[in-house]
Amino acid sequence: MTVIGTGYLGATHAACMAELGHEVLGVDVDEAKIERLAAGEVPFYEPGLPEILEQNIGSGRLGFTTDYQQAAEFANVHFLGVGTPQKSDSYAADTTYVFAAVEALVPLLKGDHVIFGKSTVPVGTAEALQKRADELSAEGTSVEIAWNPEFLREGYAVHDTITPDRIVVGQRDGSTASEIAREVYATALAADTPFLVTDLATAELVKVSANAFLATKISFINAVSEVCEHTGADVTQVADAIGYDDRIGRKFLGAGLGFGGGCLPKDIRAFMARAGELGADQALTFLREVDAINMRRRTRMVELANEVLDGVLGHRVTVLGAAFKPNSDDVRDSPALSVAGQLSLAGAAVRVYDPEAMENAAKVFPTLEYTESLDEALDGAELVILATEWAQFRNMDPEYAGGLVKDKKIIDGRNVLDVQAWHDAGWEMQALGRNL
Ligand code: UDX
């Protein structure tokens, strides 16, 4: 098989498919990226991926190319994992890269081929791609577009790809694409992984619905968090208590700085935009609220820092975390970096430390001060903000940290610290949605 697009999704899919025993060729237009991958180097941080990349290149099952001709000749099964970022001038998703990949590949194909789309796309895209493929395919060649959404989480991408919790395949009437998918995912199916065959639109909707639901769940608890701030109630206890109801569940009820990353923010916006285009805009207006609640958490954090320091201007603030979540170096729409940036623009002297995301963060916000170590970040701080819950920050020793900072003041932006231990070590603590 080929895997077209070798970003977070595609590179992981390619390496994992090779790990499962398939012959895989990863394809990308970015020569530098392909060169690094071919040399066994993962261009981003993803635990476990470097090992399987190297092993499978070594075994000869995994290769990389920028040459579409080679891709067309290599396989009859193709996976499409290119990006669908938010458009610069609207909420909609930009499907340029998805179409570009199909337009580059299809005219070169001979025989019978299936292209499984994995990218998150607006509903209706697969059908439009099928039309385009029909226009571009050579006489006697058949190209089937099917949709096989990807649910992997960054930081757990290898695990989620090799042992997914479900496999969804959207196909047109009478298509046998799902039979091919059954062969591809034979290992997961042998372990009784649920396998759902749907039409194209349903498969596309499954992905955006899943992400919209997760975003809504986070914003729900963050809305409760806002109310807690006005009443003195404790949002983490509310989450624990409602989470015991297995209809609700405790996962994704982590109140704090809210969601970011390359998926949830853009996906809820693209979902709203697409619903509007389809004439169903009222159905998803609540997602505007989900987005707004999420953004307000960042503003609230900046307000809180101002309250604690009686104005941040001229004060030294240390922000722990730059990645949008732990175990990732991804800073796309990162709440941590947004807070650090806003504080800096308000005149604070901001220091940032993140175990993996410093390089990416420095590209987005070159004006912030990035330190080499956690100790250096804490040194002389007047306020510490825990913005991304890396284990290194969760497990900080409050006594030791207290010896490094100027003032023992901390805001737990992810509600992960042991309040008693930090209080015992003499720290003044604040958090979102809790009165500490
Ligand atoms: C998400 C989906 O989980 C995944 O299925 C999909 O394929 C891509 O989008 P990802 O973007 O890797 O994955 O991150 P996820 O683990 O879902 O976290 C998203 C954001 O929500 C992070 O910023 C995280 O910090 C935040 N979050 C998560 C919370 O604020 N509270 C929670 O309780 C959980």
Side-chain angles (χ1 to χ4, degrees):
M1 65 184 69
T2 72
V3 179
I4 301 166
T6 57
Y8 285 98
L9 192 168
T12 306
H13 190 68
C16 289
M17 291 301 107
E19 178 72 10
L20 291 173
H22 301 297
E23 303 277 320
V24 185
L25 184 65
V27 187
D28 204 294
V29 291
D30 183 337
E31 283 188 21
K33 200 186 272 179
I34 287 295
E35 243 169 61
R36 288 178 71 178
L37 285 165
E41 196 190 323
V42 181
F44 48 87
Y45 178 76
E46 184 60 49
L49 187 55
E51 291 82 354
I52 62 163
L53 183 79
E54 208 174 310
Q55 272 164 30
N56 288 285
I57 292 173
S59 73
R61 281 200 298 271
L62 178 60
F64 292 93
T65 186
T66 54
D67 181 0
Y68 269 96
Q69 185 62 46
Q70 195 186 337
E73 290 165 14
F74 184 81
N76 292 70
V77 175
H78 310 273
F79 284 90
L80 199 55
V82 294
T84 50
Q86 187 178 329
K87 281 186 181 168
S88 55
D89 57 351
S90 79
Y91 266 10
D94 182 354
T95 55
T96 311
Y97 306 114
V98 182
F99 278 89
V102 165
E103 284 162 4
L105 179 71
V106 170
L108 308 173
L109 298 176
K110 291 200 176 75
D112 298 328
H113 291 256
V114 181
I115 301 176
F116 289 101
K118 292 199 85 62
S119 311
T120 305
V121 291
V123 57
T125 305
E127 198 186 322
L129 287 171
Q130 181 68 65
K131 241 177 110 194
R132 197 72 190 110
D134 292 343
E135 287 161 10
L136 295 170
S137 50
E139 273 293 308
T141 290
S142 81
V143 180
E144 179 82 33
I145 304 283
W147 220 258
N148 171 220
E150 182 55 61
F151 304 104
L152 66 79
R153 296 160 298 169
E154 287 177 25
Y156 301 91
V158 171
H159 169 272
D160 290 353
T161 306
I162 294 196
T163 46
D165 46 21
R166 78 287 209 190
I167 296 165
V168 177
V169 178
Q171 61 182 24
R172 357 179 235 193
D173 268 358
S175 165
T176 54
S178 60
E179 295 311 311
I180 295 166
R182 279 183 187 280
E183 286 178 41
V184 170
Y185 295 117
T187 310
L189 294 180
D192 288 335
T193 305
F195 185 80
L196 291 92
V197 181
T198 69
D199 57 31
L200 290 170
T202 303
E204 292 168 317
L205 262 181
V206 167
K207 177 60 200 276
V208 277
S209 306
N211 277 359
F213 188 84
L214 293 172
T216 303
K217 206 171 171 190
I218 299 168
S219 275
F220 174 81
I221 200 65
N222 279 334
V224 174
S225 184
E226 280 187 40
V227 180
C228 286
E229 282 157 14
H230 286 88
T231 59
D234 185 313
V235 73
T236 60
Q237 289 185 322
V238 173
D240 288 344
I242 65 173
Y244 282 118
D245 183 334
D246 64 10
R247 292 169 304 175
I248 297 173
R250 182 64 172 82
K251 288 181 186 162
F252 274 68
L253 286 183
L257 260 184
F259 59 81
C263 290
L264 301 193
K266 99 167 154 67
D267 287 353
I268 58 170
R269 292 170 196 158
F271 198 13
M272 279 186 272
R274 187 65 185 136
E277 287 166 11
L278 293 167
D281 41 354
Q282 280 189 340
L284 298 183
T285 46
F286 76 94
L287 288 177
R288 214 183 295 264
E289 240 359 272
V290 166
D291 204 355
I293 293 164
N294 191 52
M295 289 304 182
R296 278 207 298 275
R297 293 289 75 192
R298 304 176 187 189
T299 322
R300 175 65 194 138
M301 176 57 93
V302 175
E303 272 171 21
L304 200 52
N306 270 298
E307 286 166 22
V308 172
L309 292 172
D310 203 10
V312 296
L313 183 68
H315 290 291
R316 288 185 60 166
V317 181
T318 292
V319 175
L320 298 181
F324 83 101
K325 68 170 191 181
N327 299 318
S328 171
D329 66 354
D330 194 347
V331 300
R332 286 178 291 175
D333 208 346
S334 164
L337 209 48
S338 161
V339 165
Q342 288 182 59
L343 289 170
S344 167
L345 293 170
V350 181
R351 276 190 175 174
V352 179
Y353 175 71
D354 187 287
E356 294 293 338
M358 307 286 269
E359 212 178 297
N360 287 341
K363 283 183 208 150
V364 182
F365 266 108
T367 48
L368 300 173
E369 185 188 343
Y370 297 95
T371 63
E372 296 282 319
S373 67
L374 175 56
D375 282 16
E376 199 190 320
L378 294 173
D379 187 33
E382 292 169 81
L383 169 67
V384 179
I385 296 176
L386 191 157
T388 310
E389 69 277 31
W390 285 93
Q392 192 187 1
F393 305 151
R394 284 201 314 263
N395 301 331
M396 259 186 312
D397 175 359
E399 292 283 353
Y400 178 73
L404 297 171
V405 295
K406 176 161 180 282
D407 297 318
K408 290 198 254 184
K409 292 180 180 169
I410 188 162
I411 307 178
D412 182 358
R414 293 292 177 179
N415 284 313
V416 289
L417 296 177
D418 179 345
V419 177
Q420 193 61 52
W422 285 76
H423 275 162
D424 288 351
W427 285 76
E428 181 188 318
M429 277 183 100
Q430 309 281 341
L432 296 171
R434 299 164 91 185
N435 196 355
L436 299 179

